[in-house]
Amino acid sequence: MSAGLNLAQQEAVNYMHGPCLVLAGAGSGKTRVITHKIGRLIEAGLEAKRIAAITFTNKAAAEMRERAKSLIGRGARDVLICTFHALGVRMLRQDGAALGLKSAFSILDSDDVTSILKDAGGTTDAATARQWQWAISLWKNTGLNAAQAEAQAKDDNEKIAARIMARYEERLAAYQSVDFDDLIGLPLKLLQQHPEVREKWQAQLGHVLVDEYQDTNATQYEVLKLLVGERGRFTAVGDDDQSIYGWRGATLDNLKRLPLDFPQLKVVKLEQNYRSTGAILRAANNVIGPNPKLFPKTLFSELGEGEPVRVVDADNEEHEAERVVARIQSTRANGVGQEWKEFAVLYRANHQARIFEQALRKAQIPYKVSGGQSFFDRAEIKDLCAWFRLWINNDDDPAFLRAVTTPKRGIGHTTLQNLGTFASKYRQSLFEALFSSSLGSVLPAKAVGSLHEFGRYVNDLEFRARHTHGAQDSRAFMLEWLKDIDYEKHLYDGEDNEKVAASRWTNVLEFCDWMSQRAGGEIDDTAGVSIASEKKSLLEVAQTIALLSTISEREQDQNVVTLSTLHAAKGLEWPHVMLVGVTEGLLPFKLGDDANPSGRADGPMSEGILQRLQEERRLMYVGITRAQRSLSVSWTKKRKKGREMIAAQPSRFIAEMALEKTTTREDPREKLKALRAEFAQKALDTAAAAAAASAP
Ligand code: ATP
Ligand code: MG
């Protein structure tokens, strides 16, 4: 496994019996160390199923699985390659009973959480609920429970949020449900409070590898520590300069604590960048320069100087998008065999994608928006998933409410409200309450009848899903069920635009295919949770889906231009990268009105603002270092602020790249015009020559 590794990488790969930290800049082959080390560990005799490799996103996990497969072959299949969250699901399904969680618990998505919080806080305002959601999530990520959060609350708002957190937690327990943060927090609790579970996992895992270690949060670190125990057989790889999730609770303390908690820690530094040309790497090093150094690092490239980094100043966003399109077209026209997938357009915030999408569409350039709305976020897919969740966990009240009203089946709001009051009075779930013999005391017989009918139908479906195996039967079952509930009609009724309804229905059919393929055991890459390639019951398949974030993310090798946020681009690389919206106020993202009134990078700043600026700078560094061969950075002279257009400045980070004077300002549209003129002239010449030849 040492082929294609430099000496430092080999050192990290061959060190297998203790804790190892690989700390290095972008593109230095950290992720490569992880994939190769999986192979090395197997070669050294560790069973594949005793290796866990933890990645930051499902997409990164899918990619690593691919790479491991091509490196190691089928042996890689049993390695647990997944995110921290997927590992958490696995732990809770196996051992959550110790915390009073049944193995069929439900995983709530962000929308479910918002609506539970609205209910718990007695508000109909989604924005308020989302603020609570945000606060609660941060508390959970730093390991605080509701009481602790209240004790440390800084103001009344925080106190209120902490009290709502207490009610929220009660509800989750009653619904046998967990939110995304619980997928880390509860496994931690399990490992801390249940020695037998801890020992089991420590014995089970022979080596744990963690990619993007700089973006782990405090709870993830505790989980890692307890999983590896005192022997500390793990490999963490990371780059403090690429820590970009501080706003979500990630902490560089995890890097600082590692040598203290594991005195025998072996630290390996990698210094050669294999990704980018000299010009690109120099711009990156210059940008990150002003940030304080946690660990001094150097990074060099042997790929040659390459093309200079280009700065493009555009009049406004539309103009910027046109120039991006022109650059893609002219690069393709110039080069040999350049494919669409070699290009990426990266920006700070999701909403910036739209204008570039429009321009690419107009130019008929195929693209995908990565990190955009995922398949599973679509309303129609969530509708169906609500039914599955209800089969699996009858106590899942949010799923109950969605299923019972989608499509509407004559069970109205008042009925559901009364059922809810009744259920909470007797501390039952809605589903349980529905079958209670005394329900008749609060609801008219007709309503009770409809509820009973629904309950029996759900039970019947669940029974049949449990006994439906394989692709064909599963597909038939799902289609029959959709017909039963008249779901297609429901889509058309709810949508004025027929085209939209039709595309929703297509999604539903695609989803049925996808589910049945899994039931047939044809596919075994279910994000993070490996499924053996044997037939499964439809119910088993339904159990795993709550965790899958996308189908589309797996369509990796499409030959299309990528549009992505900087955050979602972490760890990835493209030959040609265009960083757009590198405009003060967008990147760095607005630092607050009083950030530095002088508008200058060296103006006075508070500590909090300074830290945010440093995180934005790391984000810029991540962006620059995604590029392999060419990089352009663009900004606009005007930008939107609310509804207004205001004059804008280039991002301070452009100056910080310290590019040489010669590098900038040529307009690719001019070049394209010249190229087109040249083509046109050639065509004319050819036609003229042909005409001359055929002339009598
Ligand atoms: P990031 O910080 O962006 O996550 P990284 O440190 O994880 O980057 P990799 O993605 O592992 O870096 O590697 C960057 C590129 O360099 C990849 O294309 C990889 O295949 C290549 N590479 C890494 N190490 C070597 C090597 N020893 N020889 C040749 N190519 C290498
Ligand atoms: Mg990497």
Side-chain angles (χ1 to χ4, degrees):
M1 287 298 156
S2 59
L5 294 177
N6 62 32
L7 286 176
Q9 288 175 320
Q10 287 179 34
E11 198 184 346
V13 165
N14 289 324
Y15 183 77
M16 289 174 285
H17 299 292
C20 176
L21 170 67
V22 178
L23 188 70
S28 57
K30 297 182 295 297
T31 303
R32 191 174 174 112
V33 162
I34 295 215
T35 6
H36 281 253
K37 193 155 182 176
I38 293 173
R40 180 74 188 96
L41 287 161
I42 295 177
E43 208 176 67
L46 187 61
E47 278 175 283
K49 64 170 198 248
R50 297 193 55 211
I51 302 173
I54 300 173
T55 58
F56 197 72
T57 59
N58 288 330
K59 185 173 175 182
E63 214 165 272
M64 187 174 290
R65 236 172 275 135
E66 275 311 306
R67 284 204 213 168
K69 223 189 275 168
S70 60
L71 200 66
I72 305 155
R74 285 183 73 79
R77 263 187 36 170
D78 296 331
V79 180
L80 182 60
I81 301 180
C82 63
T83 60
F84 259 114
H85 291 92
L87 177 66
V89 175
R90 183 172 276 237
M91 294 175 67
L92 292 177
R93 294 245 187 259
Q94 282 181 23
D95 301 304
L99 299 174
L101 205 57
K102 47 184 201 189
S103 73
F105 63 86
S106 304
I107 301 166
L108 302 179
D109 63 31
S110 167
D111 284 350
D112 295 324
V113 171
T114 318
S115 59
I116 295 174
L117 282 173
K118 277 201 223 158
D119 188 42
T123 178
T124 49
D125 181 32
T128 314
R130 270 191 228 107
Q131 273 168 12
W132 293 331
Q133 192 169 348
W134 191 249
I136 292 172
S137 172
L138 270 185
W139 284 328
K140 284 192 173 190
N141 282 330
T142 38
L144 296 180
N145 63 27
Q148 292 162 326
E150 189 171 350
Q152 58 96 62
K154 284 192 286 300
D155 53 37
D156 282 350
N157 277 341
E158 284 198 14
K159 275 215 175 72
I160 293 172
R163 275 180 218 142
I164 285 167
M165 178 175 177
R167 276 181 247 160
Y168 168 72
E169 297 286 273
E170 271 169 26
R171 271 163 222 233
L172 291 203
Y175 302 162
Q176 284 286 317
S177 298
V178 303
D179 63 23
F180 258 71
D181 301 314
D182 289 334
L183 294 179
I184 313 295
L186 294 178
L188 176 60
K189 211 161 151 188
L190 252 182
L191 294 170
Q192 283 171 332
Q193 297 174 358
H194 299 272
E196 71 293 351
V197 176
R198 183 170 67 236
E199 278 152 27
K200 179 186 121 177
W201 279 92
Q202 288 181 353
Q204 152 75 29
L205 293 177
H207 204 99
V208 180
L209 304 108
V210 186
D211 199 3
E212 307 278 0
Y213 178 73
Q214 76 281 355
D215 277 322
T216 51
N217 64 32
T219 15
Q220 287 167 336
Y221 179 62
E222 292 303 322
V223 169
L224 174 68
K225 236 169 75 177
L226 291 172
L227 279 178
V228 300
E230 273 178 19
R231 284 195 314 178
R233 290 194 180 160
F234 68 85
T235 305
V237 312
D239 176 6
D240 49 316
D241 288 334
Q242 293 187 69
S243 153
I244 53 175
Y245 281 90
W247 54 283
R248 232 166 57 181
T251 169
L252 282 175
D253 285 346
N254 288 356
L255 268 174
K256 295 185 204 151
R257 283 173 57 183
L258 219 47
L260 304 176
D261 290 347
F262 297 92
Q264 72 279 40
L265 182 75
K266 179 178 182 70
V267 180
V268 177
K269 294 190 178 179
L270 308 176
E271 305 199 310
Q272 179 160 2
N273 170 300
Y274 290 91
R275 179 179 293 148
S276 313
T277 61
I280 294 169
L281 197 59
R282 192 166 56 247
N285 285 338
N286 288 344
V287 159
I288 204 64
N291 267 18
K293 293 278 157 294
L294 198 56
F295 301 93
K297 281 184 306 223
T298 47
L299 210 52
F300 67 94
S301 161
E302 282 184 350
L303 297 177
E305 173 65 11
E307 274 179 51
V309 174
R310 287 198 173 73
V311 174
V312 177
D313 40 358
D315 297 335
N316 51 38
E317 285 182 331
E318 283 78 14
H319 183 207
E320 187 180 31
E322 273 172 39
R323 295 191 61 169
V324 158
V325 167
R327 160 133 340 267
I328 296 176
Q329 287 172 330
S330 70
T331 311
R332 271 175 47 101
N334 280 341
V336 199
Q338 312 259 11
E339 301 197 73
W340 297 122
K341 66 176 175 198
E342 295 181 13
F343 297 86
V345 181
L346 307 181
Y347 38 81
R348 174 69 179 82
N350 268 314
H351 68 83
Q352 291 173 266
R354 196 177 51 88
I355 284 187
F356 295 93
E357 280 193 70
Q358 287 165 350
L360 289 166
R361 238 171 239 243
K362 206 167 122 196
Q364 300 192 325
I365 296 177
Y367 67 88
K368 65 171 178 205
V369 183
S370 132
Q373 193 194 34
S374 89
F375 195 75
F376 284 90
D377 287 339
R378 293 176 203 279
E380 60 275 19
I381 306 301
K382 280 173 139 180
D383 284 346
L384 306 191
C385 288
W387 283 79
F388 301 158
R389 280 163 50 190
L390 193 55
W391 300 346
I392 294 157
N393 174 12
N394 290 159
D395 296 338
D396 187 337
D397 285 358
F400 177 96
L401 290 173
R402 187 155 186 155
V404 80
T405 51
T406 317
K408 298 232 178 319
R409 48 176 58 244
I411 296 177
H413 187 61
T414 336
T415 305
L416 290 174
Q417 239 173 3
N418 289 339
L419 178 69
T421 320
F422 180 88
S424 65
K425 184 166 159 203
Y426 294 101
R427 299 192 161 271
Q428 292 175 333
S429 69
L430 295 171
F431 197 83
E432 236 178 324
L434 160 172
F435 287 113
S436 161
S437 52
S438 47
L439 188 62
S441 63
V442 294
L443 279 174
K446 188 161 167 273
V448 174
S450 318
L451 283 171
H452 278 179
E453 195 191 322
F454 176 71
R456 276 195 300 268
Y457 183 52
V458 170
N459 280 340
D460 176 51
L461 284 175
E462 180 200 321
F463 177 83
R464 283 163 51 207
R466 190 185 300 282
H467 294 95
T468 301
H469 290 82
Q472 245 179 359
D473 289 355
S474 296
R475 192 177 149 77
F477 171 92
M478 290 188 61
L479 291 179
E480 189 191 322
W481 159 54
L482 290 170
K483 207 161 155 213
D484 268 358
I485 62 174
D486 227 353
Y487 191 73
E488 189 176 2
K489 179 167 179 298
H490 165 78
L491 286 181
Y492 278 88
D493 288 350
E495 191 58 64
D496 288 339
N497 184 338
E498 272 202 11
K499 267 198 190 146
V500 175
S503 104
R504 286 182 188 278
W505 180 241
T506 311
N507 288 339
V508 167
L509 294 179
E510 190 188 321
F511 182 65
C512 292
D513 285 342
W514 187 85
M515 289 282 293
S516 27
Q517 277 173 351
R518 269 154 181 82
E522 292 160 31
I523 292 174
D524 68 345
D525 65 344
T526 332
V529 187
S530 70
I531 290 184
S533 56
E534 61 208 36
K535 285 192 180 181
K536 300 202 145 284
S537 81
L538 190 57
L539 198 68
E540 284 172 289
V541 177
Q543 266 184 1
T544 62
I545 59 165
L547 230 216
L548 303 178
S549 65
T550 68
I551 293 181
S552 44
E553 268 179 13
R554 246 175 296 291
E555 300 159 1
Q556 280 166 38
D557 254 352
Q558 300 169 61
N559 190 12
V560 299
V561 173
T562 300
L563 298 184
S564 170
T565 60
L566 289 165
H567 281 100
K570 199 170 68 151
L572 307 178
E573 58 192 17
W574 293 270
H576 308 287
V577 168
M578 282 154 279
L579 292 185
V580 300
V582 190
T583 308
E584 206 49 35
L586 285 174
L587 179 66
F589 193 63
K590 55 182 176 214
L591 297 167
D593 287 338
D594 54 354
N596 55 23
S598 64
R600 285 174 33 183
D602 55 356
M605 276 186 226
S606 73
E607 184 56 25
I609 301 278
L610 192 63
Q611 278 180 11
R612 278 184 43 207
L613 174 62
Q614 288 168 357
E615 181 148 323
E616 295 290 308
R617 187 177 281 123
R618 293 192 290 266
L619 205 48
M620 179 74 180
Y621 175 75
V622 167
I624 296 174
T625 53
R626 299 310 98 200
Q628 294 172 304
R629 295 207 300 272
S630 86
L631 172 68
S632 82
V633 175
S634 59
W635 67 282
T636 57
K637 293 175 191 160
K638 288 199 194 108
R639 72 175 176 89
K640 273 200 206 88
K641 188 178 182 197
R643 294 216 184 124
E644 270 176 88
M645 291 301 283
I646 58 167
Q649 302 293 325
S651 164
R652 66 190 79 192
F653 300 145
I654 292 186
E656 288 180 8
M657 289 196 296
L659 302 174
E660 291 74 12
K661 289 273 174 304
T662 55
T663 55
T664 55
R665 312 273 134 101
E666 125 222 351
D667 189 336
R669 288 176 307 175
E670 293 305 320
K671 202 162 175 189
L672 198 63
K673 250 192 237 160
L675 274 171
R676 287 211 180 107
E678 197 182 312
F679 282 138
Q681 189 57 50
K682 270 199 194 128
L684 280 179
D685 291 349
T686 321
S694 63

